[in-house]
Amino acid sequence: MKRPILIHPDPRLKKVCAPLGDLSDELRVLADDMLETMYDAPGIGLAAPQIGVLDRLIVMDCVKGENETPRPLVMFNPEIVASSDVMNVYEEGCLSIPEEYAEVKRPEAVDVRWIDRDGNEQTETFDGLWATCVQHEIDHLNGKLFIDYLGPMKRQMITRRMQKLKREQAKARA
Ligand code: NI
């Protein structure tokens, strides 16, 4: 089932999410809903707080191109265990900050440990777009958005545009 995506600014996007205990069918349904919501948007990553659930859960799939096999990843309690010294700059966007893009500098590669959909612990090194995406999504679990890496002027400008967008959306619904 598709879930509505929260738009910045929203206090739920600024919260530090709680670690998850044992996996349950309910959590697997939540992860599947998040993947459906992400693919539909369309996006390459989604974190639970973006649908108003303050759990440490992210989903992503950075495979591009119609002829390539999708690789949906579900990560419970994801953790960055090592980061490269080499940095990389990517133009980032966010489903909670629609139509806004900005360059963000992050480590080029990261080792991530997480619990997968079957409850197994996984560790993998990500680089390129996958590295940027996983760091962006884990940031969401700590209440951090990509615009927090920008200067205050630019951040305020984007936030004002989002406030305007939310007013317009509210009016359209009324
Ligand atoms: Ni995002």
Side-chain angles (χ1 to χ4, degrees):
M1 188 184 72
K2 245 177 60 181
R3 312 266 194 123
I5 298 174
L6 300 181
I7 304 296
H8 165 74
D10 187 296
R12 288 166 287 183
L13 294 172
K14 302 304 291 176
K15 293 273 198 293
V16 175
C17 298
L20 289 159
D22 289 339
L23 293 196
S24 60
D25 286 342
E26 201 181 330
L27 282 172
R28 288 190 185 91
V29 168
L30 173 64
D32 293 343
D33 284 356
M34 284 171 58
L35 277 170
E36 190 182 339
T37 304
M38 177 193 84
Y39 283 125
D40 180 76
I44 58 170
L46 188 71
Q50 292 183 274
I51 56 163
V53 177
L54 300 181
D55 287 340
R56 300 193 80 82
L57 164 60
I58 64 173
V59 297
M60 56 178 205
D61 184 352
C62 297
V63 172
K64 282 179 167 174
E66 287 180 13
N67 300 321
E68 284 177 72
T69 314
R71 192 191 175 206
L73 280 180
V74 171
M75 297 182 171
F76 296 98
N77 295 336
E79 222 182 313
I80 292 168
V81 291
S83 305
S84 65
D85 293 331
V86 180
M87 303 294 276
N88 198 5
V89 175
Y90 254 106
E91 185 165 74
E92 295 189 21
C94 181
L95 293 175
S96 293
I97 311 173
E99 320 241 337
E100 300 285 347
Y101 303 91
E103 288 191 335
V104 177
K105 193 193 227 180
R106 299 181 189 270
E108 196 271 327
V110 286
D111 293 346
V112 181
R113 183 169 59 207
W114 73 96
I115 304 296
D116 69 16
R117 205 182 172 284
D118 300 318
N120 298 316
E121 188 177 298
Q122 303 279 351
T123 308
E124 188 173 326
T125 303
F126 293 96
D127 61 10
L129 181 59
W130 287 91
T132 290
C133 185
V134 75
Q135 291 175 83
H136 174 122
E137 300 311 329
I138 292 174
D139 271 354
H140 273 298
L141 305 183
N142 296 316
K144 193 165 183 181
L145 303 171
F146 82 91
I147 55 170
D148 294 326
Y149 291 88
L150 311 178
M153 295 284 280
K154 197 155 188 204
R155 186 165 60 238
Q156 280 162 25
M157 209 171 66
I158 291 174
T159 299
R160 267 186 234 117
R161 282 203 289 264
M162 289 302 107
Q163 285 165 332
K164 184 163 174 265
L165 173 72
K166 288 176 79 169
R167 279 198 302 272
E168 285 165 3
Q169 286 179 343
K171 229 183 279 172
R173 272 195 297 269

